[in-house]
Amino acid sequence: MSRQSKLDDFAAFLAGRMVKLVANAMRPLFYLHYWLLPQQRFKLENSAAISTSPGKIINDNRQSTATLIPKIIWQTNYTNKVGLPIKAAWRWNRLLSRSYQYCFHSTEDRHAFVEQNFPGKPTELYKRLTIGAAQDDVWRLMVLYKHGGIYMDIDSHLIWPLDRFIEAGTLEMFLRYKSKDATNYFIASAAANPNIKSLLDEVLYRIETSQSNNVYEITGPSPFQDILANKSHAWRLAQHTCLQGNLSNKFFQYLDKPQGCWTQEQKRRRVVQPKQ
């Protein structure tokens, strides 16, 4: 089910084109900055109202009980010290989500959150994942099921203000491409959403039983395509909502990670460790 009107489609299309043009114009400046100051990094700051403890999230943002999706944005990365393009995407997203709190989890924060909130078998399966991107795929479902909110990949950027399409009474919002394939780089959900639970159960099942060595197939977005195809859910087109890789690219995203992108990591080792 999509809630987009034709007017919304057109306005979002124009906004997306403008963002892409601006991002392309800024790309040479990002490379120039890196050439001049290759060691400079920028910190992604949590909102003051957000607890730094991954086990307990404190959000004092007052909102109507009719607003099912909490006004908090979740992101994760191997570090919160990032290059200028990632910081620029973060700043742009904050401009389009002024009424939202922001919470960043590092690799260590993710581990602590999973252990504290999903003990037992879910934690055991999570720990069998050897690649950070796969762990992130599982963590995003867990944190949304526990707390609700908006998850966005670190290299993604909004093209439309969140308040324009995350309305009071909205339970969830997934993204699809024009091909109708679902994706998982942006997810909006209320806490305890049955669709998020189904996705989490499927991902954990694939970790436990998968013979694949492909992050895409084990933890996402493949599970989203398979599960959401058979469930009623609210969705929007990705190109009218949130995009990836315009302000940033793989080079800037993995500046301080010698292992590189997950696509390279999974060529060198198994995604899922065998059960001990």
Side-chain angles (χ1 to χ4, degrees):
M1 175 182 63
S2 173
R3 297 185 178 184
Q4 291 173 250
S5 66
K6 290 185 177 181
L7 179 60
D8 178 61
D9 283 351
F10 182 69
F13 170 78
L14 290 180
R17 299 299 296 178
M18 290 181 62
V19 171
K20 282 187 175 183
L21 287 173
V22 172
N24 288 332
M26 293 177 68
R27 189 68 62 82
L29 298 178
F30 293 148
Y31 278 102
L32 177 62
H33 174 270
Y34 177 74
W35 181 70
L36 293 173
L37 299 166
Q39 301 303 317
Q40 187 173 25
R41 300 293 183 268
F42 302 86
K43 189 175 182 180
L44 304 182
E45 299 280 359
N46 281 343
S47 298
I50 299 297
S51 167
T52 57
S53 169
K56 183 178 182 182
I57 302 300
I58 301 173
N59 181 2
D60 71 354
N61 188 41
R62 303 295 186 259
Q63 58 190 55
S64 168
T65 56
T67 305
L68 300 178
I69 299 177
K71 290 196 168 186
I72 178 171
I73 293 174
W74 302 92
Q75 287 192 308
T76 186
N77 194 34
Y78 61 93
T79 176
N80 68 340
K81 306 270 187 6
V82 299
L84 184 58
I86 296 293
K87 181 67 174 185
W90 178 87
R91 178 58 64 187
W92 174 254
N93 290 333
R94 299 306 290 134
L95 288 173
L96 295 184
S97 58
R98 291 177 178 270
S99 62
Y100 284 71
Q101 303 290 341
Y102 177 82
C103 187
F104 176 91
H105 273 191
S106 65
T107 301
E108 294 73 23
D109 292 333
R110 290 200 313 259
H111 291 345
F113 175 86
V114 173
E115 287 181 335
Q116 293 172 23
N117 294 279
F118 294 86
K121 190 173 183 179
T123 293
E124 294 173 8
L125 292 173
Y126 176 88
K127 288 183 174 180
R128 286 176 60 188
L129 295 169
T130 67
I131 295 177
Q135 295 171 351
D136 172 14
D137 286 339
V138 179
W139 167 85
R140 73 187 66 178
L141 292 172
M142 288 179 168
V143 81
L144 289 177
Y145 187 73
K146 175 71 176 180
H147 295 294
I150 314 289
Y151 169 83
M152 297 175 60
D153 273 3
I154 202 72
D155 66 334
S156 63
H157 62 87
L158 297 165
I159 61 169
W160 207 234
L162 280 178
D163 285 337
R164 291 291 299 272
F165 62 91
I166 304 296
E167 303 170 348
T170 302
L171 173 67
E172 62 190 19
M173 189 65 66
F174 297 99
L175 294 192
R176 293 186 189 179
Y177 297 117
K178 283 185 177 180
S179 63
K180 302 302 182 182
D181 287 341
T183 185
N184 68 339
Y185 70 80
F186 173 101
I187 313 166
S189 177
N193 180 354
N195 281 340
I196 296 295
K197 181 63 164 56
S198 295
L199 288 163
L200 178 57
D201 288 345
E202 176 67 16
V203 167
L204 293 175
Y205 173 77
R206 292 190 184 198
I207 295 171
E208 185 174 24
T209 64
S210 179
Q211 301 300 311
S212 170
N213 198 51
N214 189 312
V215 171
Y216 188 98
E217 295 176 355
I218 300 170
T219 59
S222 181
F224 280 67
Q225 296 173 14
D226 295 341
I227 293 298
L228 295 180
N230 299 313
K231 289 186 176 294
S232 175
H233 62 281
W235 60 272
R236 281 176 58 92
L237 288 173
Q239 60 267 34
H240 294 166
T241 310
C242 182
L243 299 174
Q244 281 184 301
N246 289 305
L247 286 165
S248 182
N249 58 22
K250 298 302 182 186
F251 172 76
F252 286 113
Q253 187 176 351
Y254 297 100
L255 275 178
D256 301 312
K257 188 178 181 183
Q259 303 96 315
C261 180
W262 61 268
T263 56
Q264 299 302 313
E265 288 188 84
Q266 68 183 18
K267 294 177 181 178
R268 298 190 293 268
R269 63 174 181 269
R270 291 205 59 79
V271 175
V272 182
Q273 290 180 339
K275 185 176 182 181
Q276 299 296 324

